[in-house]
Amino acid sequence: MPKKIKKIFEYAGFSFFITLLMGGILAEIGIIKNTPSWAPNLFMIVGSLLVLMFSKGKLLCFLICIGIIGFFYEVLGVKIGILFGSYNYSDVFNLKLFSVPIVMISAWIIIVNFSFSFIQNIRNKFFIIYGSIIMVIIDLVIDPIAVHGLEIWIWNEEGPYYSIPNHNFLGWFILSIPIFILLNFSKQTVETPSRIISILVISFFSIIGFINEIYFPAALGIVLVLLNCLLFFKQRKRKSNAL
């Protein structure tokens, strides 16, 4: 594909993504009424496609594999309830397979891409542990907002953190380990546009959290976003100084 046409596709995709993001925020505030049922699905799908579009080599293949692995984690979680706890998805994401929204593939791609961007330049024996811890922290942000703000799924059992069972977070940590073992084989790093998309998705959840007065997870999400941005600028400065 000629570079000019590719650039047009990239700008068009990014603009459409921003439109969906802003539409979701305006709908949550109540300015936009009767949001079409396909909009939440499309927001996550477009976001993940943009992440994949700007990913290269093994990282691209690994992110696709991780999206599929994450989806089957969710299937096992819903059907058996031993991975995260007992929960069921609502109809917010209404395209489902095995009682799990297909768009969860997109969600896993975006979340893992965001986590990986934190530690992509750290390749030591703690890489896998760092990645898994970041995944748990992201879940501390997303889960309460997804349940109490966006009502994407419903827990059948309760715990102390926004009614989320504790073993959900243990499950996230354990199941993130094979994902970061896989990513450790990737020599590619997260490209800037892909990183921006992931940051915007986490920012979206934080904004929804503030709108719905779910303050701690929303604030934690903003801290993650700011730290990611700070790390990004530090890495760029380091590269510039090395040239």
Side-chain angles (χ1 to χ4, degrees), residues 22-35 211:
M22 292 305 300
I25 293 170
L26 293 174
E28 195 66 24
I29 294 171
I31 294 174
I32 295 178
K33 307 290 184 182
N34 301 318
T35 307
I211 292 170

Side-chain angles (χ1 to χ4, degrees), residues 2 9 36-37 166 181 186 194 199 220 227:
F9 270 107
S37 60
N166 285 334
I181 290 174
S186 174
S194 176
I199 285 172
L220 182 59
L227 286 174

Side-chain angles (χ1 to χ4, degrees), residues 74 84 87 89 111 135-155 161-165 168-169 172 205 214 217:
E74 300 285 350
F84 308 110
Y87 66 102
Y89 281 98
I111 291 168
M135 286 287 285
V136 173
I137 296 171
I138 292 172
D139 196 42
L140 289 169
V141 173
I142 290 177
D143 214 318
I145 297 166
V147 172
H148 301 293
L150 298 170
E151 300 179 345
I152 296 172
W153 64 85
I154 301 162
W155 286 105
Y161 182 74
Y162 291 93
S163 302
I164 301 163
N168 167 68
F169 303 109
W172 264 81
F205 273 91
I214 311 170

Side-chain angles (χ1 to χ4, degrees), residues 3-49:
K3 284 186 177 180
K4 205 169 187 178
I5 296 176
K6 186 182 177 185
K7 283 289 182 186
I8 292 171
F9 270 107
E10 289 172 357
Y11 285 127
F14 189 79
S15 300
F16 187 44
F17 173 78
I18 294 296
T19 301
L20 291 169
L21 185 149
M22 292 305 300
I25 293 170
L26 293 174
E28 195 66 24
I29 294 171
I31 294 174
I32 295 178
K33 307 290 184 182
N34 301 318
T35 307
S37 60
W38 49 261
N41 296 278
L42 199 57
F43 170 63
M44 296 301 293
I45 290 169
V46 172
S48 65
L49 288 177

Side-chain angles (χ1 to χ4, degrees), residues 46-162:
V46 172
S48 65
L49 288 177
L50 286 170
V51 167
L52 295 175
M53 183 188 297
F54 292 108
S55 300
K56 298 176 182 178
K58 284 184 179 179
L59 181 57
L60 170 61
C61 298
F62 287 162
L63 285 174
I64 293 171
C65 290
I66 286 165
I68 296 169
I69 290 168
F71 177 79
F72 282 104
Y73 281 168
E74 300 285 350
V75 172
L76 289 172
V78 168
K79 296 296 184 182
I80 302 174
I82 60 171
L83 300 179
F84 308 110
S86 180
Y87 66 102
N88 292 290
Y89 281 98
S90 68
D91 291 325
V92 172
F93 294 132
N94 51 14
L95 299 174
K96 295 180 182 177
L97 181 65
F98 306 124
S99 302
V100 174
I102 297 173
V103 78
M104 285 299 109
I105 296 172
S106 299
W108 276 88
I109 289 171
I110 293 168
I111 291 168
V112 170
N113 188 72
F114 181 82
S115 300
F116 183 50
S117 66
F118 268 97
I119 59 167
Q120 58 189 353
N121 294 319
I122 302 172
R123 297 307 173 102
N124 58 30
K125 60 184 178 180
F126 298 112
F127 172 85
I128 295 162
I129 301 300
Y130 290 155
S132 300
I133 290 172
I134 292 170
M135 286 287 285
V136 173
I137 296 171
I138 292 172
D139 196 42
L140 289 169
V141 173
I142 290 177
D143 214 318
I145 297 166
V147 172
H148 301 293
L150 298 170
E151 300 179 345
I152 296 172
W153 64 85
I154 301 162
W155 286 105
N156 298 324
E157 53 186 305
E158 293 191 355
Y161 182 74
Y162 291 93

